[in-house]
């Protein structure tokens, strides 16, 4: 995950759902889950207030590894907001922004 990702444990415990369009967590982790682990991760993370994190469950946030932001290599010839600053401030891309 990138450095601006919210703390997954805090989000789950406080009932904050995955945002619309979030990549499938089930697809990312299905091959790594223990055999008795529920397989409906996306459902659980989209509706966290309907599920309890079991006592002794590993800290979700500690299982995430931070990585640098990707770069596009796109050269801009006009004023553009600072991308890193915008991400850290959690500002959404404006409507109509090209998909990067």
């Amino acid at each position: 995950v990138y450095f601006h990702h919210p703390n997954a444990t805090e989000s789950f415990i406080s009932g904050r759902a995955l945002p619309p369009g979030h990549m499938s967590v089930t697809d990312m982790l299905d091959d790594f889950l223990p055999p008795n682990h529920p397989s409906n991760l996306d459902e659980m993370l989209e509706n966290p207030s309907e599920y309890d994190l079991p006592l002794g469950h590993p800290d979700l946030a500690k299982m995430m590894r931070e990585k640098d932001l990707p770069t596009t290599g796109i050269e801009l010839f006009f004023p553009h907001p600072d991308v890193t600053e915008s991400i850290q401030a959690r500002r959404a891309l404006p409507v109509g922004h090209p998909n990067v």
Side-chain angles (χ1 to χ4, degrees):
V1 298
Y2 300 109
F3 69 91
H4 65 284
H5 195 284
N7 181 295
T9 302
E10 290 173 8
S11 293
F12 188 85
I13 291 171
S14 65
R16 284 192 306 271
L18 285 180
H22 190 284
M23 65 180 58
S24 171
V25 176
T26 301
D27 289 348
M28 285 190 295
L29 300 179
D30 200 36
D31 292 341
F32 305 100
L33 297 174
N36 61 340
H37 194 285
S39 61
N40 60 334
L41 297 178
D42 294 327
E43 165 66 24
M44 295 169 75
L45 295 170
E46 289 166 4
N47 302 289
S49 58
E50 296 180 24
Y51 299 91
D52 292 322
L53 199 59
L55 187 62
H57 190 282
D59 186 335
L60 301 172
K62 290 182 179 177
M63 292 188 280
M64 300 169 73
R65 186 178 47 127
E66 293 181 354
K67 59 183 177 180
D68 293 332
L69 288 172
T71 57
T72 61
I74 297 171
E75 189 171 346
L76 301 173
F77 300 100
F78 51 87
H80 189 279
D82 182 286
V83 175
T84 301
E85 179 184 299
S86 295
I87 290 171
Q88 289 173 332
R90 302 182 62 96
R91 288 192 288 270
L93 288 174
V95 174
H97 189 282
N99 185 10
V100 288

